[in-house]
Amino acid sequence: MFILFMKIIWWVINIVWLLIFSGLAVFIGVRNVDAAGMVQTPGIKMVSFVILGIVFLVVMLIQLIFLYFIRKTTAKVS
C-alpha cells in the first residue's frame, strides 16, 4: 500500500514540476524587461533558457533516482 502511495506521489510531483517549468519557460519567453529593468534581448533569453534547462536536468535526475528506488522496493515486495 505504501509503495502505491509513493508511486502516486511521484507522479503528482512530476506533474507539478512540469507545470512549474512550463510556466517559467513561458514567462521567460514573453517578458520584455526583467526585474532589474534590463531589456531582454534574444541572447539574454537564450541564457535564461539554458539555465532553466540545467535546473530541469538536475530535477529530472533526482526524480529518476527516486523512481529507481521505488521500483527497487516494489521488486522486493512482489
Side-chain angles (χ1 to χ4, degrees):
M1 186 68 178
F2 179 70
I3 302 302
L4 179 63
F5 178 70
M6 284 176 46
K7 286 183 182 180
I8 292 171
I9 292 296
W10 185 82
W11 277 107
V12 169
I13 290 171
N14 280 331
I15 291 169
V16 169
W17 276 116
L18 183 64
L19 291 173
I20 289 170
F21 282 113
S22 299
L24 286 173
V26 168
F27 176 72
I28 290 170
V30 300
R31 71 181 180 173
N32 294 326
V33 180
D34 67 1
M38 296 291 296
V39 175
Q40 296 295 291
T41 63
I44 294 173
K45 284 185 180 184
M46 191 58 60
V47 170
S48 297
F49 282 127
V50 168
I51 292 169
L52 184 64
I54 292 169
V55 172
F56 177 78
L57 289 175
V58 169
V59 170
M60 185 177 71
L61 180 65
I62 292 169
Q63 288 292 332
L64 289 174
I65 291 170
F66 189 61
L67 178 64
Y68 170 77
F69 285 114
I70 290 173
R71 289 192 178 190
K72 187 175 176 183
T73 306
T74 304
K76 287 182 182 179
V77 172
S78 298

